[in-house]
Amino acid sequence: MKTRFLNQKAVQFPPRGRAGMTLVEVVVALALAGLMVAGLVTGYIFCTKSAVKDSLYMAANARAMERLEETRSAIWAPYRATPKDDLVTNNFPDKVVTLDLSGSGSVTNSATLKTEISQISDSPLPPVRRIPVDCIWQFRGGDFITNSIETCRA
C-alpha cells in the first residue's frame, strides 16, 4: 500500500522484509498463552477442590453438633428420689453417618461419630461430666480428618 502526502516521497508500509512476525515470536507468544491458560486451569481446580473440602468440613461439624445435642437431651438426674442416668458412653455407640453435600451428585462421604463421656468431678455440687464428640472422615482417599466438639454438663 502506497500513501502520499503533499511534498513527501512515496512510502511503502510495512517496509519490505518486516511484513510479519517471525516463527520464533509466534512460538514464544503461544508458550506464554499456554502458561497463562495452565495457570488459570490449575487455579480453578484448586478453588473447586477447596470449596468441596470446606463443604465437607461444615457438614462434619454439623453432624458432630447433632450428636452433641443428642447427649444434651439425655436424662441425667443424679439427685432425684430415684436417680436416672442415661448420660453414659454405652448409650452413644460409634455411628457411621453420611456427610451430605446438596446437589453434589451420587458421590457420598461417610464419617464416624465417636462419643466419650467421662466424669470430671463428684465433690463440688453439682457433678460435672465431660462430653467430647469427634467426627472422623476422609477426603478423596487422603488422610483422615477429625472435627471435634467438646462440652461439659453439670
Side-chain angles (χ1 to χ4, degrees):
M1 172 174 167
K2 293 183 181 182
T3 57
R4 281 186 190 225
F5 294 102
L6 296 175
N7 299 329
Q8 287 188 335
K9 294 182 189 177
V11 179
Q12 194 172 18
F13 290 103
R16 292 198 190 268
R18 307 283 267 150
M21 297 175 63
T22 64
L23 182 60
V24 174
E25 291 172 329
V26 170
V27 169
V28 169
L30 286 174
L32 289 174
L35 285 174
M36 183 185 70
V37 169
L40 288 172
V41 169
T42 303
Y44 177 78
I45 291 170
F46 175 78
C47 288
T48 55
K49 183 178 174 182
S50 295
V52 169
K53 193 172 185 179
D54 188 54
S55 296
L56 288 171
Y57 270 113
M58 294 298 144
N61 199 43
R63 288 301 200 152
M65 197 60 154
E66 284 176 16
R67 186 60 170 246
L68 191 64
E69 290 297 325
E70 289 175 17
T71 63
R72 285 182 183 165
S73 66
I75 296 172
W76 181 39
Y79 295 116
R80 284 187 182 168
T82 56
K84 182 153 176 136
D85 187 4
D86 289 340
L87 189 62
V88 292
T89 303
N90 293 338
N91 288 343
F92 302 96
D94 291 353
K95 182 178 175 183
V96 177
V97 296
T98 300
L99 299 180
D100 183 24
L101 292 178
S102 298
S104 66
S106 63
V107 178
T108 59
N109 285 51
S110 60
T112 303
L113 293 172
K114 293 186 179 283
T115 307
E116 295 177 15
I117 300 170
S118 59
Q119 191 82 19
I120 292 178
S121 68
D122 278 328
S123 55
L125 295 176
V128 179
R129 288 197 178 162
R130 176 180 168 258
I131 308 168
V133 177
D134 296 327
C135 184
I136 303 165
W137 55 283
Q138 199 173 17
F139 181 66
R140 295 187 180 170
D143 293 337
F144 284 97
I145 301 168
T146 303
N147 290 56
S148 298
I149 297 178
E150 188 170 329
T151 189
C152 291
R153 185 167 166 191

